[in-house]
Amino acid sequence: IKQSEKEIQLEQENQNQSQKQVEELKQKLSIIKQIEKKQLNIKAISPLPQKKINQSAPKSQPKSLSLSSKATSTSTSTTTTTATTTTTETNVNSFFESVCVTVPSARRFDSNGAVAPENYLRQLISGLSSGLSTEQKNKLSVVIMNVDRVPPAHTEPSKLSQEYSGIQLRDPPYSTNEVEKMVPPVFIDYDENVAISKDKQVWRAKEVLDAADLLQTCKDSGKKYTLFLEDDVRPTSNIWPKLEKFVNKVPNNYAFLALYNPSSWDGNNYKDGDEYPFHCCTQSLLFDNSRIAPVISLLKSGFSRKPVDHLLAEYAKTNLVDGHVYVSIPSLFQHVGAYSTLPERTLSPPEVAHDSRSWEALLHVGTKDNKESHYSITFEDDSVSN
């Protein structure tokens, strides 16, 4: 009997111990569930803690290859905000990753020499990154060269490089004083056969040398394409899918592609993808880096003879194998700059010199006294007739 009582007592103690273990396991399980719930809440609220929890998350790209805004990377604070941001992003494929964007930038001036009130560069960068997800912006590469005669006075490039991690700043290969010593003492305008100002002569030559250096920089980047943009243009909506579509449409034998065409309304009736005799304007050009070397060589050797666009036209005319130029109709970029980097080239009052978007500007073409002239212009986003 005593043995039985002892066994019964031992069994009760084991049951109590088991019950205690069960209670401890329940408490641990409850704690684990609370931790998991907190982690899930953190993931839903902000992407930053998620990167700490998820060790397999991709590492951020180096500064020279990313264009995600530094401000937006820390600004998301609620689940609702994250959802709203996602709905504004466009499903863009990887074509833009193969493009090196390069932009020479300087302050703009009124015809009286006063600094212009416009800040074109910020609008351009915003347009290029519009519609891209944060991950896609991290793969967009942009090189900006501050070509201002007084670089510290042109603060926009440095400010943007602090806001966008993918902007790479590059110094010009020569200063204005150095270029002034490199050009001939007397310069004759090739069109009018008359002497032009020393200021314009140096301005032209430096512009060519800056462009050559920027093209070389993008060639050395390893990207397939170079997108050369002046800082006073704006991309049309969904620029990257449209650009890829245009590149795939034209034959692969071009010196460059003209993405802004001020001649689309001059009576030649060009269609999208047509080959045309390039003669003007470097607002937006796309180069294939496998064929860009001879273009760079011509710019370096002819910098004191002609401006950039006329040297490019010379190359296209003399290179019959891969010197073709194809034009985008309508323009994929729009020229919005009414102020020039050289005061004497700014109209009074300021006016966009090659505005392919405004039908009002086209009324100045031909005879100004002809009040009954009619123009029909097709745009990327709308159509206007007068």
Side-chain angles (χ1 to χ4, degrees):
I1 293 174
K2 288 183 179 180
Q3 181 65 27
S4 298
E5 290 178 348
K6 188 176 181 179
E7 291 178 354
I8 292 173
Q9 183 180 359
L10 182 61
E11 184 176 353
Q12 289 177 346
E13 290 177 355
N14 290 337
Q15 290 178 352
N16 292 336
Q17 183 67 22
S18 298
Q19 184 66 28
K20 184 178 180 180
Q21 292 177 349
V22 171
E23 293 298 329
E24 290 178 352
L25 290 174
K26 287 183 178 180
Q27 291 179 3
K28 290 181 180 180
L29 181 60
S30 177
I31 294 173
I32 292 174
K33 288 183 177 181
Q34 291 178 10
I35 293 174
E36 290 180 344
K37 184 177 181 181
K38 290 181 179 180
Q39 289 178 338
L40 291 174
N41 288 338
I42 290 173
K43 291 180 181 180
I45 290 174
S46 173
L48 296 179
Q50 181 181 2
K51 293 183 179 179
K52 296 180 181 179
I53 296 169
N54 183 9
Q55 298 298 328
S56 62
K59 296 181 180 179
S60 59
Q61 297 293 330
K63 179 177 180 181
S64 61
L65 295 178
S66 62
L67 194 65
S68 60
S69 174
K70 295 178 180 178
T72 58
S73 64
T74 58
S75 62
T76 307
S77 59
T78 65
T79 307
T80 302
T81 303
T82 303
T84 302
T85 302
T86 303
T87 58
T88 61
E89 295 168 351
T90 304
N91 184 19
V92 180
N93 55 24
S94 60
F95 173 77
F96 66 91
E97 298 179 38
S98 64
V99 180
C100 173
V101 182
T102 184
V103 186
S105 182
R107 290 174 299 164
R108 303 281 172 150
F109 297 91
D110 203 337
S111 57
N112 60 8
V115 178
E118 302 282 352
N119 291 325
Y120 300 120
L121 183 59
R122 178 175 294 278
Q123 300 172 8
L124 171 58
I125 298 301
S126 176
L128 289 174
S129 58
S130 176
L132 298 181
S133 67
T134 301
E135 181 180 358
Q136 290 169 336
K137 292 175 184 178
N138 288 337
K139 300 176 182 179
L140 186 61
S141 178
V142 179
V143 181
I144 299 177
M145 178 181 287
N146 187 343
V147 297
D148 198 277
R149 292 192 174 189
V150 186
H154 186 39
T155 59
E156 200 171 13
S158 61
K159 289 180 179 179
L160 287 169
S161 69
Q162 294 173 5
E163 298 174 20
Y164 290 89
S165 59
I167 292 180
Q168 175 188 342
L169 300 182
R170 182 169 180 82
D171 295 328
Y174 302 97
S175 67
T176 301
N177 291 335
E178 289 173 328
V179 175
E180 188 172 357
K181 298 175 182 178
M182 297 164 63
V183 297
V186 178
F187 190 83
I188 304 298
D189 189 283
Y190 58 91
D191 284 330
E192 304 295 335
N193 198 30
V194 295
I196 63 174
S197 69
K198 182 74 173 182
D199 200 32
K200 189 172 183 179
Q201 172 192 7
V202 174
W203 174 81
R204 274 184 177 178
K206 188 176 186 303
E207 190 177 60
V208 177
L209 292 171
D210 292 339
D213 185 82
L214 284 170
L215 295 183
Q216 184 67 53
T217 299
C218 275
K219 178 181 182 297
D220 295 340
S221 71
K223 302 285 187 178
K224 180 173 176 58
Y225 303 101
T226 292
L227 178 58
F228 183 90
L229 301 175
E230 295 186 6
D231 64 354
D232 60 344
V233 299
R234 286 186 193 174
T236 56
S237 60
N238 301 320
I239 181 59
W240 296 112
K242 289 190 293 190
L243 181 55
E244 180 184 24
K245 182 179 179 181
F246 181 64
V247 170
N248 293 333
K249 179 177 183 177
V250 300
N252 189 25
N253 62 352
Y254 54 86
F256 51 89
L257 303 179
L259 309 179
Y260 165 78
N261 178 33
S263 302
S264 60
W265 38 263
D266 65 2
N268 291 323
N269 297 319
Y270 294 114
K271 297 179 181 179
D272 189 46
D274 280 355
E275 183 172 6
Y276 89 125
F278 177 84
H279 61 276
C280 172
C281 309
T282 57
Q283 275 82 3
S284 54
L285 303 173
L286 184 78
F287 298 84
D288 187 311
N289 285 338
S290 65
R291 297 188 292 271
I292 201 174
V295 176
I296 297 173
S297 298
L298 178 60
L299 295 180
K300 290 181 177 179
S301 63
F303 74 94
S304 63
R305 294 192 294 112
K306 299 178 180 180
V308 177
D309 51 353
H310 288 262
L311 286 172
L312 292 177
E314 178 181 308
Y315 177 83
K317 291 177 181 178
T318 57
N319 193 324
L320 301 180
V321 178
D322 54 7
H324 302 274
V325 180
Y326 301 99
V327 62
S328 172
I329 303 293
S331 298
L332 297 184
F333 289 82
Q334 298 296 338
H335 185 205
V336 297
Y339 298 88
S340 174
T341 57
L342 188 66
E344 67 179 81
R345 296 186 74 246
T346 299
L347 300 177
S348 181
E351 179 183 339
V352 179
H354 300 291
D355 184 359
S356 63
R357 190 173 183 83
S358 171
W359 63 265
E360 293 178 329
L362 306 186
L363 297 180
H364 298 290
V365 178
T367 305
K368 294 183 179 180
D369 294 334
N370 184 2
K371 303 298 183 180
E372 297 182 357
S373 295
H374 295 272
Y375 302 86
S376 180
I377 309 96
T378 301
F379 304 118
E380 179 61 43
D381 301 316
D382 57 316
S383 180
V384 181
S385 297
N386 179 47

